[in-house]
Amino acid sequence: MTSSAFSYRNGTLCAETLPLAEIADEVGTPFYCYSTQQLQRNYRDFAAPFADMDATICFAVKSNANLAVIRTLAACGAGADITAAGELERAMQAGVKPEKIVYSGAGKRRDEIMAAIKARIRQINAESLSELPVISSVAVELGVTTPVMLRVNPDVDAKTHKHLATGHKETKFGIEMAQLDEAIRLATTLPGLDFKGFSVHVGTHVMDYEPFRLAYRKLADLVKSCRARGVKIERLDLGGGVGIPYDGQKLAPFADYAAVVHDEIAPLGCAVIFEPGRRLVGDAGVLVSRVVYVKQGVTKKFLVLDAGMNDLIRPAMYEARHGIVAVRSSGDAETETVDVVGPVCETGDMFGKNYSLPKMQAGDLVAILQGGAYGAAMSSVYNGRPLIPEVLVDGARHAVVRRRLSVAEQMAWESMPEWLASDRAV
Ligand code: LLP
C-alpha cells in the first residue's frame, strides 16, 4: 500500500502531484523523497486526540534527522527527542525551541550533558544511577538547576522484533523498577537537579497497544506511590514506538493507542510528552531506485537495484519487509514474482523475496515504501557508495534537501599519514 501522499496519476507514481520519475531524471537514482503534506497530516493525526491534555509532541529525530524534515514538523508544533549532542545541534539548527527538546540515551557523555544543559532543554531523561551524579555535577559547574526525569524500564514485552524491544529488563535502557527508590532519592537530593517525573519507552514498531497499557499502568502506579510519599510528579514522557503498517501489515487504529493514554495517564493530570519517530515520518518517505539488471537465474528471478543495504538497512538488520511498487504501473500489466536485491557485496543486501511486481526491465524505477523512518538516517557509505540525495516535495514544488555526496567528498574526510604521503610509498 502506498500512503495517500504517494499515489498513481496517469499510471505513474507521484509524490503529492509530482511524478517521481521527473525527480529521478533531475537528481539521479537512488534517492529518498519525502512528502510535506504527509508529514503535516501525520503530525495532526498524532496531536489531535491529545488536544484536551497538556501534551508536547517531540519528534524522535533519530528516525529522520534531515533539517528540512525536522523544520517541517517543528512548524507544525513539534519539539524534538534527541539521543546525542549531534541531534541537539541539528534540532536547534532546524529551529526547534530548546524548551521543547528532550534528551534520552543510555550513554550520554559529560560533554553532551553539558551542551544540553547549556542550551536549556526541557529535560534530560536519566537512564541509570551512574548518570544522575554526572548531570548534577555539570549543573553545579554551570551554576544552574536542570530539569531531570527518570527513564523507567517497565519490564514489559513489546512483542516486536528482538532488536526493536527496549522495555524489558535484559536491555540496557532505563532504570529497573527495583532501583527506582534509589534513583528518586538521588534525583530529589543531588544539587542542581529539578526532578520532574518519569519517562518510558517500551520499544519501537509496536503493533499491539497492550504493552503500552501495561507500561503506562506501571507508570501511573509509580506516580501515585510517589505522591503518597510527598514526591511531586509534574510530567510524564510516554516515549515513542507506535508502529506503522509495512508490506501487508495491519495496525489497530491510532485512536486505540490514544484511548490507552486517556485511560491510564490522563487522570493523573500531569503534563505529557510523546516521542514519536516512525509514526510521523515512516509513510511520508519513499526510496526511489532504478533496476540495474533483471537477472533470471535457474530457479529465481532477481531485480538488482541501484539502491543497497547501505541506503536502507532495515531489511538486512531487522528482517523488515517494506512495500515495493513499480513507479510506472498501468494496473493491468502482467506481474511476476521476483526477489529484490541491491548491489552491495553481502548476501544480506536484499530488500525481500517473492515480491509480485509488474514485469520490469533494466532502467525501470521502483519505489520502496515506508522509507521515511530509519532510512536515510541509518545510511552509510559502505562499498564506497555515496550518501544519496533527499528530496522534499510540497504540492507541486520540490527541493533537494540533501544533495548526493561525491566519492571525492567522502575521501576528503580522510588524510594520508606523512610516511605514506609520497608516491614512493607505493
Ligand atoms: N524515544 C526513544 C527513547 C527511543 O529510543 C526511540 C527509538 C523513539 C523515541 C522513537 O521510536 P519510534 O516512535 O520511531 O518507534 N532503527 C530501528 C528503530 C530504532 C528505534 C530506536 N529508538 C528501525 O529501523 O526500526
Side-chain angles (χ1 to χ4, degrees), residues 132-141 144-146 186-194:
L132 287 160
V134 180
I135 305 173
S136 163
S137 85
V138 175
V140 168
E141 188 183 325
V144 298
T145 298
T146 200
L186 291 172
T188 51
T189 55
L190 285 174
L193 303 186
D194 179 12

Side-chain angles (χ1 to χ4, degrees), residues 73-404:
L73 290 168
C76 297
D81 159 46
I82 59 161
T83 199
E87 289 183 350
L88 174 64
E89 267 185 71
R90 283 189 164 269
M92 298 217 308
Q93 175 75 22
V96 182
K97 301 264 178 303
E99 61 268 23
K100 283 190 170 184
I101 297 179
V102 301
Y103 184 6
S104 308
K108 308 176 195 80
R109 286 194 319 250
R110 189 184 167 87
D111 59 300
E112 294 181 300
I113 291 170
M114 174 84 74
I117 296 179
K118 273 190 181 159
R120 300 205 168 273
I121 67 167
R122 186 185 197 88
Q123 71 200 38
I124 296 178
N125 297 342
E127 302 224 10
S128 65
L129 297 179
S130 346
E131 186 183 334
L132 287 160
V134 180
I135 305 173
S136 163
S137 85
V138 175
V140 168
E141 188 183 325
L142 293 172
V144 298
T145 298
T146 200
V148 289
M149 307 270 280
L150 297 175
R151 175 164 172 189
V152 178
N153 183 321
D155 194 22
V156 299
D157 175 4
K159 300 187 191 146
T160 184
H161 186 275
K162 63 179 187 303
H163 290 165
L164 300 178
T166 48
H168 55 289
K169 65 176 182 233
E170 292 81 26
T171 70
K172 66 182 177 187
F173 299 102
I175 301 169
E176 288 180 60
M177 299 300 259
Q179 295 183 321
L180 274 179
D181 278 347
E182 175 61 2
I184 294 167
R185 190 188 66 75
L186 291 172
T188 51
T189 55
L190 285 174
L193 303 186
D194 179 12
F195 176 52
K196 294 288 189 194
F198 300 104
S199 78
V200 75
H201 173 74
V202 297
T204 183
H205 191 40
V206 181
M207 300 291 281
D208 162 4
Y209 302 140
E210 244 358 77
F212 288 110
R213 188 179 291 280
L214 293 176
Y216 295 171
R217 193 166 288 170
K218 286 191 181 183
L219 220 50
D221 290 344
L222 209 53
V223 172
K224 287 175 203 152
S225 81
C226 281
R227 286 177 174 167
R229 284 186 284 157
V231 178
K232 213 167 103 191
I233 305 293
E234 292 171 33
R235 295 181 194 166
L236 291 175
D237 179 338
L238 303 179
V242 177
I244 59 167
Y246 285 87
D247 193 41
Q249 288 185 317
K250 289 241 174 329
L251 183 70
F254 186 69
D256 293 2
Y257 171 75
V260 169
V261 175
H262 277 104
D263 292 350
E264 307 295 335
I265 299 294
L268 302 168
C270 292
V272 169
I273 293 140
F274 297 94
E275 302 174 349
R278 191 186 320 267
R279 185 67 178 63
L280 297 185
V281 293
D283 68 355
V286 295
L287 169 58
V288 179
S289 178
R290 211 174 275 285
V291 176
V292 185
Y293 294 108
V294 178
K295 175 174 172 177
Q296 177 66 69
V298 179
T299 56
K300 279 195 158 268
K301 197 164 199 175
F302 297 95
L303 287 189
V304 187
L305 303 184
D306 64 359
M309 66 192 289
N310 68 302
D311 303 308
L312 178 67
I313 202 166
R314 303 195 67 262
M317 198 155 168
Y318 315 113
E319 298 155 81
R321 189 175 171 93
H322 289 245
I324 301 181
V325 296
V327 165
R328 273 187 227 291
S329 179
S330 60
D332 54 2
E334 200 188 330
T335 59
E336 59 185 358
T337 301
V338 289
D339 287 4
V340 184
V341 301
V344 171
C345 213
E346 299 250 2
T347 312
D349 183 29
M350 144 138 357
F351 293 106
K353 294 183 193 236
N354 300 325
Y355 278 94
S356 174
L357 287 170
K359 269 200 159 151
M360 299 252 227
Q361 294 176 354
D364 286 347
L365 294 170
V366 298
I368 302 178
L369 307 177
Q370 303 96 29
Y374 307 105
M378 294 179 79
S379 57
S380 76
V381 295
Y382 187 41
N383 274 200
R385 291 165 53 81
L387 293 180
I388 64 176
E390 295 173 272
V391 175
L392 182 66
V393 172
D394 183 17
R397 57 185 175 172
H398 73 288
V400 176
V401 293
R402 183 181 77 185
R403 65 178 173 78
R404 195 181 304 278

